[in-house]
Amino acid sequence: MSSVGTPGEGQYWYNVNTKTIEKGAQSDWSQLLGPYDTEAEARTAMDKVQARNDAWDAEDEDD
């Protein structure tokens, strides 16, 4: 028997539909951001997304 688990097992994911944290990917991959090593990191997922979007928007304005 293989000791390899499911990808992302034991890591944390942010579900963009339910706005909850999942330990191990429990939902469809299209609904998840991650993986993250800690629950705290997963909780800041949308903050990171917003910061990146803002940075890209600023770059677009500079062009």
Side-chain angles (χ1 to χ4, degrees), residues 26-39:
Q26 299 169 25
S27 300
D28 184 75
W29 296 103
S30 65
Q31 300 173 16
L32 301 175
L33 296 176
Y36 299 96
D37 290 328
T38 66
E39 185 176 350

Side-chain angles (χ1 to χ4, degrees), residues 33-54:
L33 296 176
Y36 299 96
D37 290 328
T38 66
E39 185 176 350
E41 274 185 291
R43 290 203 182 284
T44 65
M46 289 307 295
D47 294 335
K48 291 178 185 178
V49 167
Q50 186 61 52
R52 289 178 182 149
N53 286 344
D54 291 345

Side-chain angles (χ1 to χ4, degrees), residues 2-24:
S2 174
S3 63
V4 176
T6 304
E9 184 178 0
Q11 292 181 304
Y12 295 88
W13 302 80
Y14 181 82
N15 185 310
V16 297
N17 289 337
T18 63
K19 297 178 176 59
T20 59
I21 307 303
E22 299 180 6
K23 185 168 184 183

